[in-house]
Amino acid sequence: RALAGGRVVNAKSYALMTTPDTLNNGKRLNYAFGLVPGMLGTHRSIGHGGGVNGFTTSSIYFPDDSVNVVVFSNSDRGPDPLALNIARAVFGIPLVAGPKPLVAVPLPDTDRDRLPGVYDLLPPGGGKFVIHIMVENGQVVTQAEGQGQGKFPLVYLGNLQFGAAFDPSLRVTFISENGAITKMRLEQGGGTMEGARRP
């Protein structure tokens, strides 16, 4: 509320933080300068999630209603569905069933051993998002480059697609060309990035 009330940044900066930007190609983002604006029914929201080894968080502020929902979790499933259902309960909106748990399928060693490498993903806003894929104790794990980026295991779902227990929206798909893994696609929270594997 201090942020929304102008005690942290000025009104112009807060407007930039809460207004989705538009790319040069005209595509409208669902992300602003640091926060995610949205709607839950007729209720305007501003929120963001986060995570590091051991816990994940979700924070959703409804400025017109003076309601703030914050969920901290150290379970295997992300806190976003719970935070949204708490908000639905407050506003009298019907609850939504949470995502189904991931169902892991066996990953052949030959497929597993083709995946390790460094992948340069291209975010929609430009720049590069670097992902490292490794095999540790027979498990495929991933870690993004950058400060505070934790390492976590991937759950194999079949057809060279993986998920993550802590975030049901996350999907990592490896793309094979002529039997070699050449690209990776990352989908999370409605956004998609894709990029090539380094030689």
Side-chain angles (χ1 to χ4, degrees):
R1 295 189 183 180
L3 178 63
R7 299 200 305 271
V8 178
V9 297
N10 63 36
K12 183 177 179 182
S13 294
Y14 185 69
L16 288 172
M17 292 174 68
T18 58
T19 304
D21 207 351
T22 302
L23 300 178
N24 291 337
N25 65 7
K27 181 181 177 183
R28 187 83 166 161
L29 298 175
N30 65 347
Y31 192 71
F33 283 20
L35 297 173
V36 181
M39 296 290 292
L40 181 63
T42 60
H43 303 270
R44 187 169 60 96
S45 68
I46 300 165
H48 205 289
V52 72
N53 295 344
F55 69 90
T56 52
T57 63
S58 180
S59 174
I60 310 170
Y61 177 49
F62 298 89
D64 303 330
D65 305 280
S66 294
V67 171
N68 197 23
V69 177
V70 179
V71 175
F72 289 78
S73 171
N74 62 358
S75 71
D76 287 339
R77 300 177 74 177
D80 292 336
L82 177 58
L84 287 169
N85 266 348
I86 291 171
R88 288 184 184 100
V90 168
F91 298 131
I93 299 172
L95 303 183
V96 173
K100 294 178 181 177
L102 297 177
V103 178
V105 299
L107 173 62
D109 292 351
T110 52
D111 284 341
R112 180 198 64 203
D113 295 340
R114 295 189 301 152
L115 305 177
V118 180
Y119 297 80
D120 295 314
L121 305 187
L122 304 176
K128 188 167 30 174
F129 187 65
V130 180
I131 300 281
H132 293 258
I133 299 293
M134 302 146 281
V135 174
E136 296 182 357
N137 301 318
Q139 172 77 54
V140 178
V141 296
T142 182
Q143 184 172 23
E145 283 189 2
Q147 186 176 2
Q149 296 289 344
K151 185 185 298 184
F152 59 88
L154 293 174
V155 179
Y156 187 53
L157 306 175
N159 298 319
L160 295 178
Q161 185 178 85
F162 293 77
F166 72 90
D167 184 351
S169 77
L170 187 140
R171 290 291 179 272
V172 173
T173 304
F174 294 92
I175 299 166
S176 175
E177 296 176 6
N178 300 321
I181 302 296
T182 58
K183 293 181 182 177
M184 174 202 288
R185 181 181 308 115
L186 172 66
E187 302 167 80
Q188 186 176 24
T192 301
M193 293 185 278
E194 189 172 302
R197 180 184 186 178
R198 292 184 188 174

